[in-house]
């Protein structure tokens, strides 16, 4: 066990032999930290937090009460193999959040980026890849093998089906069930989510230039109303427009996927 002398650990917490605790870590009462856990500098566990498995938590991340981080996957195929959960820096992981390690079939790693906000009760399943600055709102769930790219927002009480990819900057409205891939900067909402436009609010908040937003709007209309198949339309707008944001959308659509796309209404 390696515990930095500057760490503060409540006497009621259990730190198992082998855990690595960085400088300035704060562990509140009644927490359990497993033997293969690594807490980077200035991580804080509020109270009643369980961090298990082969789990790394990045610096300045705060985990709130009753979160369960790094437990085994909720997948019947899991057979006790050695897998990981890697969480980046400066995340806020709120009460009752669950994040599981990966599975051998899915690559063995669940990965969460930096600067995320995971609100109370949300779930990140095995083998998910979560980007930077992602927000998952209360009681939403990402099933196994999902990909949420940078700057995605998932509204409350929503579900992301296994293997679905949600492109950079997309937003999922509350109470949505998303069963197919979502293009970058798309807006999806509805009990069975439908692609209903672009995440214009998010684009403006991030300071995206007006010409790029105009280019995205034109590209979206072409995807919605142009001639040919969805993929053919995407290829055509990629050939005709050099906006970085349009190219993100085209690259995402042309990339490999295990799910179909949500197409514009």
């Amino acid at each position: 066990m390696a515990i930095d002398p500057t760490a503060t650990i409540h006497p009621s917490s259990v730190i198992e032999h082998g855990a690595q605790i960085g400088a300035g870590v704060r562990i509140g009462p009644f927490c359990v930290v497993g033997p293969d856990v690594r807490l980077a500098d200035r991580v804080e566990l509020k109270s009643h937090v369980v961090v298990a498995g082969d789990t790394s938590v990045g610096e300045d991340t705060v985990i709130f009460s009753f979160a369960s981080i790094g437990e085994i996957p909720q997948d019947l195929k899991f057979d006790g193999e050695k897998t990981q959960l890697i969480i980046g820096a400066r995340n806020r992981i709120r009460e009752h959040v669950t994040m599981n390690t990966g599975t051998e079939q899915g690559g063995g790693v669940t990965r969460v980026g930096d600067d995320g906000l995971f609100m109370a009760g949300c779930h990140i399943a095995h083998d998910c890849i979560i980007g930077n600055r992602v927000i998952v709102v209360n009681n939403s769930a990402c099933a196994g093998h999902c990909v949420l790219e940078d700057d995605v927002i998932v509204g409350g009480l929503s579900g992301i089906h296994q293997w679905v990819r949600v492109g950079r900057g997309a937003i999922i409205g509350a109470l949505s069930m998303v069963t197919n891939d979502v293009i970058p900067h798309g807006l999806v909402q509805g009990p069975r989510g439908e692609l209903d436009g672009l995440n214009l609010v998010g684009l403006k908040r991030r300071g995206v230039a007006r010409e790029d937003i105009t280019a995205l709007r034109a590209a979206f209309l072409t995807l919605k109303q142009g001639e040919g198949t969805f993929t053919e339309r995407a290829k055509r707008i990629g050939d005709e427009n050099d906006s970085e944001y349009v190219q993100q959308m085209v690259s995402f659509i042309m990339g490999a996927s295990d799910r179909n796309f949500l197409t514009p209404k």
Side-chain angles (χ1 to χ4, degrees):
M1 182 161 51
I3 301 178
D4 189 280
T6 62
T8 302
I9 302 172
H10 193 278
S12 64
S13 288
V14 176
I15 312 301
E16 296 192 41
H17 184 74
Q20 298 178 35
I21 310 298
V25 168
R26 292 188 291 172
I27 299 177
F30 304 107
C31 296
V32 178
V33 178
D36 297 318
V37 170
R38 296 164 299 284
L39 303 181
D41 295 350
R42 299 176 302 282
V43 166
E44 181 177 3
L45 311 184
K46 290 288 190 180
S47 72
H48 299 83
V49 174
V50 175
V51 186
D54 187 349
T55 297
S56 298
V57 181
E59 61 187 22
D60 297 302
T61 289
V62 180
I63 306 178
F64 287 72
S65 302
F66 304 105
S68 176
I69 306 300
E71 280 289 0
I72 64 172
Q74 299 176 57
D75 185 336
L76 293 175
K77 297 189 298 298
F78 182 75
D79 195 30
E81 60 267 24
K82 187 77 167 178
T83 57
Q84 290 182 287
L85 169 63
I86 300 174
I87 298 172
R90 299 176 301 280
N91 287 287
R92 296 296 178 266
I93 300 172
R94 295 304 304 250
E95 298 82 357
H96 298 281
V97 168
T98 55
M99 295 182 177
N100 297 151
T101 58
T103 65
E104 188 174 52
Q105 298 89 342
V109 180
T110 303
R111 191 179 301 273
V112 175
D114 300 332
D115 301 299
L117 172 58
F118 301 88
M119 296 190 192
C122 75
H123 175 59
I124 304 299
H126 59 88
D127 306 296
C128 283
I129 305 297
I130 309 297
N132 301 321
R133 300 174 300 279
V134 167
I135 298 173
V136 182
V137 180
N138 304 73
N139 298 301
S140 292
C142 298
H145 314 281
C146 287
V147 176
L148 305 187
E149 295 187 348
D150 294 348
D151 301 302
V152 165
I153 298 174
V154 179
L157 297 164
S158 294
I160 312 297
H161 193 283
Q162 62 188 19
W163 299 105
V164 161
R165 299 180 303 150
V166 181
R168 178 178 305 190
I171 186 168
I172 311 299
L175 297 166
S176 296
M177 178 63 205
V178 182
T179 56
N180 291 310
D181 288 353
V182 180
I183 60 172
H185 314 294
L187 164 64
V188 169
Q189 57 188 349
R192 283 285 171 175
E194 296 180 327
L195 188 60
D196 199 28
L198 296 172
N199 182 15
L200 296 174
V201 171
L203 290 164
K204 291 172 183 175
R205 282 177 178 169
R206 291 193 295 276
V208 175
R210 181 181 296 274
E211 54 266 30
D212 284 312
I213 294 176
T214 300
L216 276 171
R217 279 177 153 161
F220 184 82
L221 288 174
T222 298
L223 287 173
K224 181 176 181 179
Q225 300 173 344
E227 296 180 357
T229 67
F230 185 73
T231 303
E232 289 169 347
R233 296 197 294 270
K235 186 177 185 305
R236 187 163 63 250
I237 63 176
D239 293 339
E240 294 173 354
N241 195 301
D242 60 0
S243 164
E244 173 191 353
Y245 292 85
V246 172
Q247 292 301 319
Q248 288 173 10
M249 186 182 293
V250 172
S251 295
F252 184 90
I253 293 169
M254 304 305 291
S257 176
D258 292 288
R259 307 291 299 173
N260 294 322
F261 279 92
L262 288 172
T263 53
K265 294 194 294 182

